[in-house]
Each structure stands twice: as C-alpha cells, then as structure tokens.
Amino acid sequence: MDHMPENWGRPRNDVYGEYQSAIHNAGQGPQSRTQTPSITGTSVIAMKFDNGVMLAADNLGSYGSLARFTDQERLIKVGNETVVGISGDASDQQYIELLLERLLIEDNYPQDGHHLRAPHIYEYLSRVMYNRRSKIDPLWNAILVAGKNDDGSPFLGYVDLLGVTYSSPSIATGYGAYLAIPLMRKIVSEEADAKNVSEEQARKVIDECMKVLFYRDARSLDKYTVATVTLDGEVKMDKNVRCQNMNWRFAEGIRGYGTQKQ
Amino acid sequence: MYAEHFSEPATSHVASAPIEHQFYPYASNGGTILAIAGADYALLAGDTRHITGYSINTRFRPSIHTLENLGGPERAIVVAANGFSADGDALVRRLAQRAEWYTYNHNKPLSVSACARLVQTMLYGKRTFPYYVHTIVAGLDESGRGEVYSFDPVGSYEREQCRAGGSAASLLMPFLDNQVNKKNQYDAATGLPQVATDLPLEETLKLVKDAFSSVTERHIHVGDYLEIKIVTKEGVKVEYFPLKRD
Amino acid sequence: MFRNSYDNDSITYSPTGRLFQVEYALEAIKQGSASVGLVSKTHAVLVALKRNAEELGSYQKKIIRIDNHLGIALAGLAPDARVLSNFMRQQAMSSKMIYNRPIPVSRVASEIGDKAQKNTQVYGKRPYGVGLLVAGYDETGPHLFEFLPSGTVLEYFGAAIGARSQSARTYLERSFESFADCSAEELVLHGLRALRDTLAQDKELTIQNTSIGVVGLDSPFKLYDNEEVGEWLEKLGDVGSSRGRRQAEEAAAEAAAASAAAEAADTDAPTTDAPAADDEAAADLPAEPIETDD
C-alpha cells in the first residue's frame, strides 16, 4: 500500500513515464508573489515639443493574444497639469490609479497652495515601483509621466517594474521603444531639439507612430488617446482617435496563413 | 498491484526540477565609470548613455553624484554606482541622506574614508539581495590629496590610485594600469621598471577623454556624452565632452 | 507655596477650562533667551540671542538648519528643540526622497504642531518646553511660523519668543509694514534691532552671543555664527538696547503731543515698556483663582 495520497490514482509510470513531481509540488514550494501579467496594455509613447509634452496610448486591453477589451483608457490625468501613461498589467494599472488618487486627495487636504506636479508624482511612482520590485512583488508596468518641471519647462520621465528610471525628450515603452523611438528621435533627439518642434509637428509624428505600431505590433489597436500637456495651461485629452490613411494592400501579397488557397 | 510499479520515492515532495522564475529583479543599464586620484585632485568620470538590451533609453543621464559636505566645497565627495541603475540610484540617495545625518550629528564633514566605510556597511547590509552595482567614491583627504575607493556589489573595498567600473571596465583597466600605474613600462636607459607618479590634472583629463573615446568605439554600451567631475581645493568642477552616438 | 490640583498631568482641564501644564510649558519658553523672526516678499530671517551658562562654557545653539530652504530658531528647552529639529529633518528628507520636493514650510510646521498637540491630550506625556520660529522659503514664497508647546502654529510677518521678547515684538509691530519690500540685508538689520531691544541694560550684541539665519529666493538657508556675525553687527552700528533712548524720544514726542491734546499722552506711554511688564509676567505663573475649595 502506498500511503502517500498524492501518489494515488496517477497514470502508471511504466505506461506514461515518471510523474513530474515539480508540477504538483509547485504550490507547496516557498511562498511566491511572482506573477505574470494577464490583461495587458501595449506601448505608451511620448515626446516633448516647444510648448509641452504629447503622449499617446491605444485603447486595447489584451488577454494574451486575445483582444479582450477595446476601450481601455491608459492615459490618466493626475492633478491639473500631469498625465501618467501606463503600459503593462491592467489590474496593476488600476492599483496605481488608486494610489495616485489617494495621494492627490491627501495632498489637497491642507489647501495651502502646494500641488504635486509631474516631477513629484514621478518620484513617488519611482519609489513605489522600486520598493515593490525589492519585495519581489512588482507592479507589472512601464510608466511614463509627463507634465511641467518646477521651473516651468516640460517634464517627461520613465519608470518600470524594476524601478529603472530615466528621462529623455522622446520615450516609448514596449514595442514603441523599437518602432516609435526612431521616428520620434528624427525630430526630437536631444533636449534642445524640442524647442524647434511645434505642437502640430509633434502630433503628426505621434499619429504616424501610432499607425506604425498598429501595423506591426500584433497586440495594438487603431483606436487611441492623445494627451497634450501644454506649459501655459490645461491638459488636453483627445480620445477615440483613429489611425488615418492606412494601407493594407500589402496584405494581399502575404502567403502562408489565412484563407488563401495557394 | 499497481503500486509495485511505482518507482517514485516517497520523499519526492521536494521539487527536483527547478521551477522557472517569472520575475528577475535585476537589469543591466550599461555605461562605464572611471576614477583617478592625483596629488591635489580626484576625478570621477562616466558616460551618460543609459541602455536596456540593445536600446538606448536616453543619451543623457548624468550618473556622477556630488555629496555636499560641511567644511567648504573642497570637502565634497563624488560618488557613482554603475550597473543596475535602479539599485545605483537607491544606494546613492540613501548614502546622501546618511551623509547628511552624519554632518548633523557630528558637526563636521564626512571624510572620504568614512564615507567609504559607510558605503561598505550599506552594501554588505544587502548581502543577501545585493545592490547590483560597481561603486566608486572619490574626493580629497584632510591634507588635500586625492582619494579613490572602489567597491564590489557586496561591499568589499579598497583604496586605489585609479579604477574603472561598469560595462567597459575590462577594456579600460589594463590601459589605466599601463598609463597611470606605469605597469610594464621600463626606463629605456636603466632597464628598470618605471615608478608610478601622480599625474598632473591636465594630463589625466586628456587620458580620460582618450580612454572614453576609444572605449566608445569598442563597446556598444558606452557613448553619447562623457561627464567628468573633478574635486580640487576650489570645489567640484563638472565638464562634459561629446562621445560618438552610434 | 500654593499648588492647585489641576496641574498634575498635562491633559486634565481645570474647572475654568485651562491646561496648566501646557501653560507652564509656555512659561518655559520665557526662560530662554530671545529669538526673532521676520519675512519680506523674498526672504525670511531668524536672529537669536545666545546665552552661555557660565564663562568657561560654550554658547548655546539657537538657530538650527533643517534643510536648504528651512531653519528654526528656538527659545526654551534646547533638548526638546533638538528632538523636534531631528523630526523636522526626517520629514524634510522624506519629502525629498518620496516626492523630490522641498517640504512646504507650512506642512512641516503643522506636523510639529500635531506632534505637540498629542502631548496635551495623551496621558503620561509632557508638553514640549520650547517655542520655535520656523522660517523657510518654498514655492509659495517665504514664510515664518511660530510653534508653541500647546500645538499652536501660526504664520507671522514678524515674531519674537523668549525672555524680554515683548520688546522685540514692540519693535516689530512698529516697523513690520516696511518689511515686505526689504532686501535681505535690511531685513536682517530690522531683526537685529528688534533683538537688541531684548537685551538687559548692560548687555550688547556681540559676535559670540548673536546668531543669524537667512533664507530666500535662490539663496539656501545660511547660518551666520561667530566671526561671520561681525560684519552684520558693523552694519547695525549700535549694538546696545535702544529701549531707554526710545523711551526718552517718545517722552519728548508725547510731550509735544500733550501740548496739542492734553489728555492723550499718558494712556499711550506704557505700551512701549516691555522689560518691567515682561519680567513680571515671567514670574507670574498662572494661579488658579477660584476652585481651591474643591
């Protein structure tokens, strides 16, 4: 008699090969907070221009390769002059939104004329992300924060699930780093370049980038939001933007999958 | 009946096959740092490129930090922690605040040697989950002489004349051994090994710029801009020098 | 000596609604030498009078830097101020670490206010025996707050705490309207003039007994002690109290006024004179007038 219940009722080793005990032991191992993302958002892209920062993210929430949600908003307005763009896990995104909402409520209690702006929110998120990675319990996101510096100049920063941070006049997360960054750096490569780029020019490049991302990133959508933070005023959120003038003619020439007969 | 065929031992509760980790808490963000001490200066230099994989995240992310100190600008300490940049930032920020408390509590400047010992305890304090960085601390001692201390990720440290750290350390270090410490150099007349002497600042600056220009050619993680912080009795001077961006 | 039974702890009200231990703590401030603070549109200044306990000893520390944009001046129990200043430094560093923002002056001031208030409502605690002037510069400009052991935190154009501080307050009240447009230098001199009025008859401001702290737009908190105070005292010129002289001047002015309107003079005159009134106040701990029978 085998007294180990977990050995009962198993397929026979001589027929099916030795049972992989790693599989049934997986849950009994050391406690693990390790996770993988489930519903995910793809790239967020952003660039500075002469009068502020513009960023964009599509409205797709993917479940693996399934286009699960098609009206996800991933650009969040935080306070009056900051936008946070979040890619990666959607539930962690919602948790970050909760943290930011709490943060702003707390910060508004004193009513003393002080407001958290982009650099402050960025610092806070950086601490949250790094502390969570240090607990091996990361928030599975890459985040862009856009707004105004203390001196009134445009601010743009990146932080991800490892707590890695950097600033650059044009930044993109995910596939955007490969597909959008080269296009954006064509006009804004250095900090000083941003001063020679108008809002219209920036918008053109952002739209172009979103189109290229829709062409080539299989987890993307042609519906997206563009947020513009200007130095002199409010945040503009342009929602439900569609990719324009797409050309899918090349698809006819592609062979090897789909419904073609030859 | 069936039980006889079971060859699995009852002790197989312990997983024998490793279970794949989904999350790895480290990354490498490239860049290289270099410090040289002289008779009346210490210098710490690093490129400003920040990468993940083959992507350049930003071309300009200065990585040499200055710790302001009591006792005048010449007592400032420069620090860089190169490797996983999130850990490097966390270490430097914590160090800066520890140094600030030191000056509050003791009402005197934090010496470079004391700073180095502090860095050791901070690094070793995370021995089981290390800061994944190569750290260099530089400044002037009480007599105004340059000092450089370098650390491994878990706090083992040493005072040196010069040290390179980061992605291209292995390319830079033999060059420095030869040019700063005069290794494998012999006096033509006597045939005796040359003795290392303090280099004048001008010469060191040329050496550093050449070293970084050359290493930019050979290492893809290095480039964009070179940042040099020089500590002298006048205080900390910062210089930027363009490197190739490819 | 008379003892009333409502001062055995810091949280029990007297039947007239007073917290005696808290009031005694406020008295402790007056045991310390004076500190003065004042603000313009661009700067905040602290000046303080240091005492040395004995000839052979060093002078006390009256002004403490908290952060680049923030400092405090104290009057009362210095060890309590040290605890509070360490707490403020922690708060300032947290603010930089978490938000990359120099802590707003009003917030750090109200945080120590909350801390002090706890001591007036939790059994077994002792109110802080120190008053602080918190001076700093942040996004909303320069600020001066007065912190008291009761947990009271109020913002001021000019404030003075400590022994004979009424004289300094008198000076500030007379001249605060001109502070707004003062340069940093003029503001320091106003501060020193207020401070010298708190001096005892035979004392002067010296480089040993004077501390100055200045913070403002684009100028991090700078503490002047010892030799560095010298140039400020030179600019000030007269380092002795001007109270006696001013009284004389006023007497003359009042005499002139009296000739115009005979009755007005003697109702105004006594308000200037702090020392007598203030010394009395210091000795005059609040007495419980009614409830002795209970």
Side-chain angles (χ1 to χ4, degrees), chain A residues 36-108:
Chain A
T36 46
S38 58
I39 304 288
T40 58
T42 187
S43 325
V44 181
I45 64 170
M47 66 187 289
K48 292 185 187 174
F49 59 95
D50 58 0
N51 192 35
V53 194
M54 190 178 289
L55 56 177
D58 72 23
N59 299 332
L60 183 64
S62 301
Y63 181 67
S65 58
L66 174 72
R68 181 65 182 81
F69 301 105
T70 54
D71 53 0
Q72 280 274 95
E73 185 52 68
R74 301 193 289 124
L75 299 183
I76 300 120
K77 198 176 154 200
V78 181
N80 289 327
E81 46 189 42
T82 306
V83 174
V84 173
I86 306 180
S87 61
D89 189 88
S91 62
D92 287 347
Q93 173 190 323
Q94 290 181 351
Y95 176 66
I96 289 165
E97 288 178 41
L98 176 77
L99 289 182
L100 291 174
E101 194 174 319
R102 278 188 199 158
L103 178 71
L104 257 78
I105 289 171
E106 288 287 327
D107 191 63
N108 276 322

Side-chain angles (χ1 to χ4, degrees), chain B residues 147-185:
Chain B
E147 289 183 282
V148 166
Y149 293 86
S150 77
F151 304 77
D152 81 352
V154 288
S156 178
Y157 79 111
E158 187 177 14
R159 182 177 173 182
E160 295 178 292
Q161 194 70 27
C162 69
R163 171 58 70 182
S167 294
S170 56
L171 276 68
L172 281 174
M173 210 55 223
F175 173 73
L176 296 175
D177 286 340
N178 181 253
Q179 291 296 307
V180 179
N181 291 321
K182 307 289 183 197
K183 292 285 160 63
N184 296 306
Q185 292 207 59

Side-chain angles (χ1 to χ4, degrees), chain B residues 58-118:
Chain B
T58 178
R59 297 190 188 282
F60 191 70
R61 189 184 198 271
S63 60
I64 316 293
H65 304 267
T66 307
L67 307 182
E68 301 297 341
N69 215 334
L70 291 183
E74 78 277 11
R75 301 308 300 270
I77 298 172
V78 285
V79 192
N82 182 279
F84 173 39
S85 71
D87 274 351
D89 288 350
L91 175 69
V92 171
R93 298 166 69 91
R94 279 224 294 148
L95 176 66
Q97 298 210 327
R98 289 287 297 271
E100 201 175 327
W101 277 115
Y102 179 99
T103 58
Y104 286 148
N105 292 331
H106 302 281
N107 200 27
K108 68 174 184 181
L110 177 67
S111 66
V112 188
S113 59
C115 182
R117 180 62 60 87
L118 176 57

Side-chain angles (χ1 to χ4, degrees), chain A residues 4 6-7 10 13 25 34 36 123 127 130 133-134 138 140 162-168 178 185 189-190, chain B residues 6-8 12-13 22-25 27 50 55-58 61 84 86-87 89-90 93 129 225 245:
Chain A
M4 306 305 292
E6 64 268 35
N7 288 336
R10 285 270 163 68
N13 283 11
N25 281 329
T34 308
T36 46
E123 198 72 21
R127 294 288 86 73
Y130 181 75
R133 91 94 219 191
S134 297
W140 212 283
L162 289 170
V164 168
T165 56
Y166 55 84
S167 282
S168 182
Y178 305 107
R185 283 202 186 149
S189 173
E190 298 283 309
Chain B
F6 269 88
S7 54
E8 191 179 318
S12 65
H13 288 273
Q22 296 289 337
F23 178 67
Y24 183 67
H50 187 275
S55 297
I56 296 172
N57 295 325
T58 178
R61 189 184 198 271
F84 173 39
D87 274 351
D89 288 350
R93 298 166 69 91
F129 184 24
Y225 295 95
R245 295 150 59 88

Side-chain angles (χ1 to χ4, degrees), chain B residues 210-221:
Chain B
D210 284 347
F212 270 90
S213 308
S214 309
V215 102
T216 299
E217 297 286 345
R218 284 288 187 176
H219 203 120
I220 58 166
H221 292 166

